């Protein structure tokens, strides 16, 4: 099941994508016999009510789509999408999680996940322009697989960790490198307002064959800059979720970006910085394509 958030005249609502069409989440669930009738205006509502049963619900929704015409919103290309979850309580990121990326930075392999945070104010949707050119000339790209938590997770084991994941999506960890390297903390470079695209859809795990075998490609204006596979991650997705849950509670809707492979602009000779009008495309196998344009100053 591909879950999205879309904007219409009444505000932001949850939706499901099927065959290039968007179906309203609330209308669809109210037509699904196995679902509890109620108000499901957002994807957060869905996760809070079904975070521990997303896969069974996904199967039921698939069977309901053909007999729920009133839930149809329109063609995917005609609807404005925002990030899959609106206003997540946490946006956690893992740095240095691909061996080739660690090598290009000249650092030693980490013994534990290297974790930093972004803010919800940095997030933009798949139909929005990337901000940041007004504050930096060193705007860099980082294509990443991200996961969204489906139910509260505290001190969960690695074996159980994926049971707490609602699905997977794409995140472009846009970074202002000059701000990042001004001090020992990465936060300034990672916190630029409206700079971090994610989406377009949250893909539930029943539609992912193997989270640790997904090809990831980043292109700028059609030219490939990054290519790797999640099998090359130092810390698996399950390990990351388990580790984070060992010291903080993960809540439904929390976002975890799992790291970027080699090829970032800062480590090229000469460096490659994003400019106004550049089109950045991140393509992850079985998850989708996230495509955004860099806004003008």
């Amino acid at each position: 099941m591909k879950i999205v958030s879309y904007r219409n005249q009444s505000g932001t609502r949850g939706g499901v994508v099927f065959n290039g069409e968007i179906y309203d989440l609330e209308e669809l669930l109210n037509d699904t016999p196995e679902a509890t009738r109620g108000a499901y205006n957002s994807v957060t509502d869905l996760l809070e009510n079904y975070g521990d049963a997303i896969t069974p619900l996904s199967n039921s929704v698939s069977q309901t789509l053909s007999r729920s015409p009133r839930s149809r919103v329109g063609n995917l290309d005609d609807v404005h999408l925002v990030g899959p979850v609106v206003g997540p309580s946490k946006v956690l990121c893992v740095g240095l999680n691909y061996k080739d990326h660690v090598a290009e930075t000249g650092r030693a392999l980490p013994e534990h996940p290297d974790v930093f945070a972004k803010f919800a104010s940095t997030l933009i949707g798949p139909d929005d322009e990337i901000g940041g050119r007004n504050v930096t000339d060193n705007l860099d790209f980082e294509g990443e697989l991200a996961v969204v938590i489906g139910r509260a997770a505290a001190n969960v084991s690695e074996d159980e960790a994926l049971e707490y994941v609602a699905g997977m999506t794409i995140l472009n960890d846009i970074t202002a490198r000059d701000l990042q390297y001004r001090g020992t903390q990465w936060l300034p470079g990672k916190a630029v307002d409206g700079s971090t695209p994610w989406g377009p859809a949250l893909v539930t795990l029943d539609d992912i064959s193997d989270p640790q075998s997904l090809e990831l490609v980043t292109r700028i204006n059609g030219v490939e800059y990054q290519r790797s596979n999640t099998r090359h991650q130092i810390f698996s997705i399950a390990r990351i979720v388990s580790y984070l849950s060992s010291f903080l509670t993960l809540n439904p809707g929390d976002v975890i970006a799992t790291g970027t492979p080699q090829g970032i602009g800062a480590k090229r000779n000469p460096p490659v910085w994003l400019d106004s009008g550049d089109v950045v495309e991140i393509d992850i196998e079985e998850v989708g394509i996230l495509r955004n344009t860099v806004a003008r100053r």
Side-chain angles (χ1 to χ4, degrees), residues 41-64:
N41 296 327
S42 70
V43 175
T44 301
D45 294 337
L46 173 72
L47 298 180
E48 289 178 347
N49 285 278
Y50 291 100
D52 59 349
I54 287 289
T55 295
L57 182 65
S58 174
N59 295 331
S60 299
V61 166
S62 297
Q63 297 170 17
T64 303

Side-chain angles (χ1 to χ4, degrees), residues 15 24 55 98 125-126 129 153 168 188 237 264 271 275:
D24 185 78
T55 295
Y98 286 78
E129 291 188 327
M168 300 190 166
I237 296 161
I264 63 172
D275 202 357

Side-chain angles (χ1 to χ4, degrees), residues 51-198:
D52 59 349
I54 287 289
T55 295
L57 182 65
S58 174
N59 295 331
S60 299
V61 166
S62 297
Q63 297 170 17
T64 303
L65 281 165
S66 62
R67 58 177 187 270
S68 181
R70 69 190 180 100
S71 65
R72 182 183 177 277
V73 175
N75 188 277
L76 183 59
D77 294 334
D78 298 328
V79 179
H80 183 85
L81 298 182
V82 298
V85 177
V86 177
S89 65
K90 303 181 196 67
V91 183
L92 301 168
C93 305
V94 178
L96 306 172
N97 195 33
Y98 286 78
K99 292 180 181 179
D100 55 6
H101 180 48
V102 175
E104 74 177 349
T105 66
R107 302 179 183 225
L109 290 178
E111 296 183 6
H112 305 283
D114 198 342
V115 181
F116 61 94
K118 295 176 82 83
F119 300 108
S121 58
T122 69
L123 298 179
I124 60 174
D127 292 338
D128 298 325
E129 291 188 327
I130 298 170
R133 287 285 287 125
N134 59 323
V135 298
T136 180
D137 289 323
N138 300 153
L139 201 65
D140 208 348
F141 53 89
E142 296 187 18
E144 307 198 16
L145 177 72
V147 301
V148 174
I149 296 300
R151 58 190 177 113
N155 201 31
V156 302
S157 70
E158 190 171 339
D159 289 341
E160 299 173 319
L162 291 184
E163 297 175 13
Y164 293 81
V165 172
M168 300 190 166
T169 189
I170 305 168
L171 184 142
N172 189 348
D173 181 21
I174 295 289
T175 305
R177 294 295 179 199
D178 51 347
L179 300 184
Q180 179 186 5
Y181 295 146
R182 282 179 182 172
T184 59
Q185 300 298 314
W186 291 3
L187 181 63
K190 302 289 187 177
V192 177
D193 285 343
S195 64
T196 305
W198 75 305

Side-chain angles (χ1 to χ4, degrees), residues 247-290:
F247 60 85
L248 56 78
T249 298
L250 300 170
N251 295 313
D254 284 352
V255 182
I256 304 171
T258 63
T260 199
Q262 72 170 355
I264 63 172
K267 297 304 177 181
R268 293 179 172 272
N269 188 18
V272 174
W273 306 121
L274 295 175
D275 202 357
S276 300
D278 283 348
V279 177
V280 188
E281 183 178 85
I282 302 169
D283 185 343
I284 301 183
E285 183 181 10
E286 299 182 11
V287 181
I289 297 175
L290 175 66

